[in-house]
Amino acid sequence: MHLLSDARPLVGERWLSRALDLAMRGLGTVSPNPLVGAVIVKDGEVVGEGWHERAGDAHAEVRALEAAGDHAAGSDVYVTLEPCNHIGRTPPCTNALIKAGVARVVIGMADPNEIAGGGARRLREAGIEVRFADDPAPFEELNEAWLKRLRTGLPWTRVKVALSLDGKASLMAGRRARMTGPGAAGVTRRLRALSTAVGVGAATLTVDDPGLTVRAGDGTPLDRQPLRVVFSRTSVPRPERTVFTDSLGPSLVVASDRTDDAQLDAVRAAGVGVARYVYAEGIRGALRALAAEGVDDVLVEAGPGMLTALWEARAIDELIVVQAGGMAGNAAPPLFLGRPADVAGDLDVKLRAAEAVVAGDDAAVVWRPVTTEEA
């Protein structure tokens, strides 16, 4: 997904582009369902629009049909994902489209879900013309988190770090320091608003006590807050921490089977959820436990320990580096705590720059894994 730029120009068809724009309004609220937008057009005019707002609510096609009313008969429907063809928490969208008498359905991408798929075939059997977009890539990118969880059982994992120009994440180990300015804060607000969950390691929570909330520019908390996640290997911060007490959003501790039960009971008593994983499975086990809670994507605001664990587990789908124009100096602790590189060879490049923006006086770069074709 484009985090810092607009993906709509990549969609060649006007109404599919509009449907993609609508689908993005469900960011952060639809997990474990996909993002879907729908536009109904008749005689060149939009007569209905809709998007999937949250899991369990009506799907995009149904909302658009409700908005169109009788105008849906004989219309063209543009939808980002193949309409579902099964009974889940809501009835099949194919039935609603057939009943409304639409003439044509244009689909951004096929549904790979074996349970829900087959919608295009069902529509064609009912005499409705069906066409898929020439390029499904923008729609696959829209739902890359959902697709990854379906394929691997792991959430799409974004990692954000804030650095000095000399690549340090703090000035002194174990002490909180502001590394970037208002521009980077705006990037963080955007990333949190796009995310289903926002997580930190237990060590970061202990040192920084972050709220992990989504706020407006003036600091006012927004109505929709992500799930706030604390990753714990063996110990849990005390339940007095902000994410456990401020009542601004839900919180979850993802803890290994070596975590002290008394500590977990204390956070449970504060109304915090707990998910468990096997210690030997490491950070991938923790992420798998998070996905099992219905989370498609997570933004990890990582300190050196968490970043190193994620990097060495090859669990990073996107790394967002926000950087300020100051030097921390050689006494500052390193960002990466892993094994040293082979100094006899070249740098082993694992990520490529995918997006970059100037954010106030700061800069932000989105890095993604190098594919096999690029290596």
Side-chain angles (χ1 to χ4, degrees):
M1 178 182 297
H2 282 52
L3 298 178
L4 307 176
S5 57
D6 190 353
R8 288 173 297 177
L10 301 177
V11 181
E13 297 189 52
R14 175 186 179 186
W15 302 122
L16 277 179
S17 177
R18 174 59 180 167
L20 185 145
D21 189 34
L22 292 168
M24 292 188 68
R25 297 185 185 184
L27 281 166
T29 62
V30 301
S31 288
N33 291 352
L35 294 157
V36 185
V39 178
I40 300 178
V41 178
K42 190 170 185 179
D43 299 326
E45 299 290 335
V46 174
V47 294
E49 294 183 334
W51 66 94
H52 187 39
E53 296 183 11
R54 57 182 54 82
D57 283 3
H59 289 187
E61 301 93 318
V62 172
R63 290 194 177 277
L65 289 170
E66 290 173 349
D70 294 340
H71 296 293
S75 67
D76 295 338
V77 179
Y78 295 81
V79 60
T80 55
L81 178 69
E82 183 178 4
C84 66
N85 191 42
H86 82 300
I87 298 175
R89 294 163 74 175
T90 59
C93 292
T94 50
N95 288 1
L97 291 165
I98 293 167
K99 183 178 180 181
V102 305
R104 186 172 70 135
V105 178
V106 181
I107 301 168
M109 63 167 284
D111 190 339
N113 191 331
E114 294 181 358
I115 297 175
R121 182 183 66 252
R122 175 74 180 92
L123 294 172
R124 288 184 176 122
E125 290 171 349
I128 296 172
E129 179 187 348
V130 175
R131 180 173 66 82
F132 283 88
D134 294 334
D135 182 11
F139 308 99
E140 292 170 351
E141 183 179 314
L142 172 72
N143 274 308
E144 58 196 352
W146 175 70
L147 291 168
K148 181 184 179 183
R149 186 180 57 79
L150 284 182
R151 185 177 69 252
T152 68
L154 293 166
W156 185 270
T157 303
R158 298 185 183 102
V159 179
K160 191 214 77 174
V161 294
L163 304 179
S164 60
L165 275 181
D166 53 344
K168 301 299 178 67
S170 65
L171 301 179
M172 181 181 294
R175 191 181 77 182
R176 182 175 185 176
R178 184 178 297 278
M179 301 298 290
T180 52
V187 171
T188 298
R189 286 196 298 270
R190 174 169 172 77
L191 293 174
R192 289 180 181 178
L194 293 173
S195 301
T196 301
V198 178
V200 293
T204 295
L205 194 75
T206 298
V207 173
D208 292 348
D209 192 23
L212 303 180
T213 51
V214 181
R215 296 176 180 269
D218 63 0
T220 305
L222 301 186
D223 292 337
R224 205 288 297 178
Q225 294 293 331
L227 175 67
R228 297 174 294 178
V229 179
V230 179
F231 294 99
S232 167
R233 288 192 298 170
T234 57
S235 63
V236 179
R238 295 180 61 82
E240 293 82 10
R241 293 293 167 184
T242 299
V243 296
F244 301 148
T245 60
D246 65 7
S247 302
L248 291 177
S251 298
L252 176 73
V253 172
V254 179
S256 83
D257 52 7
R258 293 191 186 179
T259 305
D260 183 72
D261 287 336
Q263 292 180 346
L264 292 176
D265 288 341
V267 295
R268 284 192 184 101
V272 177
V274 173
R276 305 300 295 270
Y277 70 97
V278 177
Y279 178 87
E281 295 178 355
I283 190 62
R284 280 188 168 267
L287 291 171
R288 195 174 302 277
L290 182 60
E293 296 291 316
V295 174
D296 283 345
D297 64 280
V298 58
L299 169 67
V300 182
E301 300 187 6
M306 177 64 77
L307 172 67
T308 301
L310 289 163
W311 180 274
E312 294 189 333
R314 305 192 76 168
I316 298 175
D317 295 296
E318 288 173 314
L319 175 64
I320 301 95
V321 178
V322 291
Q323 202 160 20
M327 301 291 187
N330 61 12
L335 171 67
F336 183 66
L337 307 178
R339 295 180 294 273
D342 179 6
V343 295
D346 296 328
L347 182 67
D348 185 11
V349 174
K350 300 294 187 185
L351 303 180
R352 61 176 179 84
E355 293 180 81
V357 297
V358 174
D361 293 333
D362 303 319
V365 180
V366 178
W367 298 83
R368 286 192 167 210
V370 174
T371 64
T372 303
E373 294 78 11
E374 294 168 328

